[in-house]
Amino acid sequence: MSSYNLDDVKEMAGGDEEFMLVVVQTFLEEIPPDVEAMNEAIGNDNPSLAYQYAHKMKPNLQLFGLELMEQIQVIEAWSKQGKRKDEVPEAAEKITKKVNSATTELREDFDI
């Protein structure tokens, strides 16, 4: 089973394969460095920076069906209300693992 779902991407592309490829390439270029930067911000106990990266990634994570909204919300709650800090490392790890899996699979599936 794939760790990502392209239904929303396909719907957005409306059958335009080139556009779909651009969306996938953009995900591959932007999301892994954003995850890395988010993890670095968490490691440096910088909730506002972690929030910026988590929030920036949210639409792409949703678009690719990665089902990580709960984990993103943990990071947002830590940043906005100072809550759920104890859950942040686990949430970040889940985001990282899922994005890494999706990245690997997308590269293979689209031969990028």
Side-chain angles (χ1 to χ4, degrees), residues 11-90:
E11 190 178 317
M12 188 173 82
D16 185 336
E17 294 290 324
E18 275 183 47
F19 178 73
M20 207 162 122
L21 186 60
V22 168
V23 173
V24 169
Q25 285 174 321
T26 302
F27 178 93
L28 293 173
E29 286 166 16
E30 291 182 6
I31 300 303
D34 285 352
V35 169
E36 204 173 304
M38 179 195 71
N39 282 319
E40 198 175 303
I42 291 167
N44 293 332
D45 200 28
N46 187 336
S48 62
L49 192 58
Y51 171 86
Q52 285 175 7
Y53 284 106
H55 193 72
K56 181 183 168 208
M57 291 187 292
K58 199 154 73 171
N60 272 307
L61 299 178
Q62 285 179 300
L63 183 62
F64 281 81
L66 296 186
E67 294 174 9
L68 290 166
M69 287 313 103
E70 194 181 316
Q71 288 72 31
I72 295 290
Q73 286 164 355
V74 167
I75 292 164
E76 289 176 339
W78 172 52
S79 173
K80 292 287 183 211
Q81 299 118 24
K83 293 178 184 164
R84 300 178 78 171
K85 185 177 181 184
D86 56 327
E87 298 172 48
V88 168
E90 190 183 328

